[in-house]
Amino acid sequence: MLSKEKTLKILEQAQKYKDVPAPFGEDINLEEYKIEKGGISIDSFAELDEEYKSKLAQLGIDTEEKATIGSYLQVNNKAVYSKIESKIEMMPISEALEKYDLDEYLWNVVEIKDKYAARTALELTEGFFIRVPKGVKETIPLQTCLLIGEESSSQNVHNIIIVEEGGELNVITGCATSPHIKSGLHIGVSEFYVEKDAKLTYTMIHDWGENVHVRPRTGLRIEENGVFISNYVILSPVKSIQSYPTAHCKGDNSSATFQTVAYGSGNSVMDMGSRVILDGKNSTADMISRTIVVDNSKIIARGHLVGANDNVKGHLECRGLILSDDAHIHAVPELEAKKTNLDLSHEAAVGKIAEDQLMYLMSRGLTEDEATSLIIKGFLSVDIKGLPPKLAKAVDSIMEMTLDAL
C-alpha cells in the first residue's frame, strides 16, 4: 500500500513527464503499442508446450526447477506463475502493494523523468517483488522471466528487490518475446536495495524480437559493505534498447560491478551503459563492456563514474569490434571527480579483427569464417563474476550456443 501523499506525488510527476522523450535513444510513439492484460495460467513449467520450454532454456531458465529456489514467470502484463521454496519472499508487485507499505521503496531510486517511466507509473500492470530477510543467504539462484506474448503489445513492469542486512541473493532474469512474436515494447522499471553487509548478483539474458523496443529504467542503493554485481548479455537482434542504470554507492566500502556483453546485428540500435555514484568512503566500481557490431547495427556504449567522496576507486573499460563498414560503435566514457583523494580511470578501444590473428588461425587449418567465429567468441568471453559455479557454467553454455548460431 502507498500513502495518499506518495501516490499523489507519483501521479503528478508522471503527468508532468508523460510526453517527454528520453535524453538518449530513439523516441517511440507509445500509442502504437497496446497493453495486453491477458495471459496463460499455469501451476508448473511442465504445463508449458515445448516451444515455450525451449525459449526459456535459451534464457537460462531451469524449467525443471532442480537448480533454483524459486521461479517467477510473467507473460505480457500478467504474473502466470510464482513459486518460492526459501525464507525469501517473492510475489507479484500488485500483491506486495496490498501487503506492505512500500513508500520507502517505490519510485525512490528511479526518477520519473521521461514518458517511458511515466507510462509505467500511470499504467502499471505487474512486475515482481523480492525481499531477502536479514541474514538469509542463498547462493542457489532464484529465476524470473518476462515474456511478451502478443504482437505489438506493451509490457510495463515495476520490479523491486530488497536484500536486507547480511543477506545474499543470486537472481537470473530472462527477458524475451514468446515464440513467433517479433514486435513489441518492454518498459521495465527496477529498483534494487542492498543493505549493510548484503550482496546481490543480478544476471540478465535477453533475447528480444527483431522489432522490439526495450526501455529499462533501473536504480540501485548500496549501503555499507554492500556488494552489487550486474551481468547483462544480449546476443540477438532487437529494434532498439535504451538502458542506463544508476547505482548509488551510499555506504562506506560499498561496491558496484557492471559487466555487459552485446552483439549488435541486423538493424539493431543499442544505447546502453551504466552510471555509478561513489558517495561512500572507500567505495568502488568496475564497469566492463564488450560489444560487437555487424550489418547495419549501432551500439552506443556509455559509462559514467562519479567520485563524490575520499578514497573511492573506479574503473571503466569499453572494448568494441566493428565487423562491417555499415555498422557503428560509439564509446562514451565519463569520469567526474568531486574530491582530490580518489582514483578513477577508463580505457576504451574500438577496432576490427586483426589480420595477423586471422592469418595465424587460418594457417592452423581453419577457414576464414571459422577463424572469425573463434575470435568473436574469445572477444565476448568475459569472466562473469559473482555466479555460483553451476550457474556460471550454464551462462557460458548459453553464450556458446547463441554464438554458434550467429
Side-chain angles (χ1 to χ4, degrees):
M1 190 73 67
L2 292 178
S3 66
K4 289 183 179 180
E5 181 181 1
K6 177 81 172 185
T7 301
L8 181 61
K9 182 179 179 180
I10 291 170
L11 293 177
E12 287 179 347
Q13 189 79 351
Q15 286 293 340
K16 179 180 178 181
Y17 284 94
K18 67 182 180 67
D19 297 315
V20 178
F24 306 123
E26 178 184 351
D27 192 30
I28 299 167
N29 181 3
L30 297 181
E31 294 181 1
E32 295 180 2
Y33 300 92
K34 58 187 181 297
I35 297 175
E36 295 285 350
K37 294 188 178 180
I40 59 175
S41 293
I42 60 173
D43 293 319
S44 73
F45 284 130
E47 297 177 23
L48 295 173
D49 62 32
E50 291 305 315
E51 278 192 314
Y52 271 96
K53 289 180 182 178
S54 177
K55 170 64 76 172
L56 295 180
Q58 291 173 23
L59 299 171
I61 302 299
D62 175 17
T63 56
E64 295 183 357
E65 299 185 280
K66 292 181 178 179
T68 182
I69 58 169
S71 303
Y72 175 90
L73 173 63
Q74 180 170 325
V75 180
N76 298 327
N77 295 294
K78 179 182 178 183
V80 302
Y81 180 62
S82 181
K83 177 185 176 182
I84 187 75
E85 294 181 356
S86 171
K87 294 179 180 178
I88 293 172
E89 282 189 286
M90 180 174 66
M91 67 190 74
I93 192 69
S94 57
E95 291 184 18
L97 283 166
E98 292 179 1
K99 186 175 182 179
Y100 294 115
D101 174 1
L102 295 183
D103 277 20
E104 186 181 348
Y105 301 106
L106 196 77
W107 295 112
N108 273 10
V109 287
V110 173
E111 291 186 272
I112 302 172
K113 290 292 187 180
D114 61 38
K115 65 186 188 181
Y116 307 106
R119 184 174 204 183
T120 301
L122 294 170
E123 305 178 61
L124 173 62
T125 46
E126 202 54 273
F128 56 77
F129 172 87
I130 299 170
R131 185 184 70 87
V132 181
K134 182 177 179 179
V136 173
K137 297 178 182 289
E138 290 283 5
T139 56
I140 298 173
L142 182 156
Q143 56 188 15
T144 66
C145 185
L146 304 170
L147 295 180
I148 294 176
E150 296 289 339
E151 203 72 45
S152 299
S153 66
S154 176
Q155 184 181 61
N156 309 332
V157 302
H158 198 136
N159 307 314
I160 292 177
I161 298 179
I162 305 163
V163 186
E164 295 184 353
E165 183 177 342
E168 182 174 349
L169 178 65
N170 276 277
V171 178
I172 182 165
T173 292
C175 293
T177 49
S178 302
H180 311 304
I181 301 300
K182 300 298 183 184
S183 66
L185 170 64
H186 171 85
I187 305 175
V189 176
S190 297
E191 300 186 271
F192 302 151
Y193 299 87
V194 182
E195 296 187 359
K196 181 181 177 181
D197 298 320
K199 180 179 180 181
L200 172 61
T201 303
Y202 194 73
T203 300
M204 295 163 284
I205 300 176
H206 287 188
D207 183 13
W208 300 107
E210 59 191 23
N211 289 311
V212 174
H213 295 283
V214 185
R215 295 293 181 271
R217 298 292 181 262
T218 303
L220 309 102
R221 188 175 70 209
I222 309 164
E223 304 296 348
E224 183 181 351
N225 296 315
V227 176
F228 174 75
I229 299 172
S230 168
N231 303 302
Y232 180 70
V233 178
I234 180 165
L235 302 174
S236 59
V238 63
K239 186 67 174 178
S240 74
I241 294 178
Q242 193 278 305
S243 175
Y244 199 36
T246 297
H248 300 265
C249 286
K250 291 289 188 182
D252 294 350
N253 304 303
S254 56
S255 72
T257 299
F258 288 90
Q259 298 184 120
T260 301
V261 177
Y263 184 97
S265 59
N267 296 307
S268 300
V269 178
M270 304 181 187
D271 191 323
M272 302 186 302
S274 51
R275 183 170 184 250
V276 180
I277 301 171
L278 298 167
D279 278 322
K281 288 184 178 180
N282 303 307
S283 56
T284 61
D286 284 291
M287 291 186 278
I288 301 168
S289 71
R290 296 285 187 274
T291 59
I292 292 180
V293 288
V294 298
D295 306 323
N296 297 303
S297 65
K298 179 179 181 179
I299 292 181
I300 302 170
R302 304 181 187 274
H304 187 188
L305 282 171
V306 181
N309 208 332
D310 292 319
N311 298 314
V312 302
K313 185 174 183 180
H315 180 67
L316 195 162
E317 178 184 324
C318 174
R319 297 186 181 276
L321 274 182
I322 185 165
L323 302 184
S324 60
D325 290 337
D326 293 325
H328 184 93
I329 293 179
H330 185 188
V332 190
E334 293 183 77
L335 303 180
E336 183 178 350
K338 297 184 177 182
K339 297 287 184 178
T340 56
N341 187 21
L342 48 70
D343 181 3
L344 303 179
S345 62
H346 79 74
E347 55 180 301
V350 177
K352 64 177 184 178
I353 291 177
E355 291 292 333
D356 58 342
Q357 293 181 1
L358 272 178
M359 296 303 296
Y360 173 77
L361 291 173
M362 291 170 67
S363 72
R364 309 292 291 182
L366 298 180
T367 66
E368 183 175 354
D369 286 345
E370 289 171 338
T372 300
S373 177
L374 190 61
I375 291 170
I376 290 172
K377 289 179 182 179
F379 180 80
L380 292 179
S381 295
V382 175
D383 180 19
I384 294 180
K385 299 177 181 178
L387 300 182
K390 287 185 179 180
L391 181 55
K393 185 176 181 180
V395 172
D396 287 342
S397 297
I398 292 163
M399 290 182 62
E400 182 78 15
M401 178 178 62
T402 306
L403 289 169
D404 283 340
L406 296 177

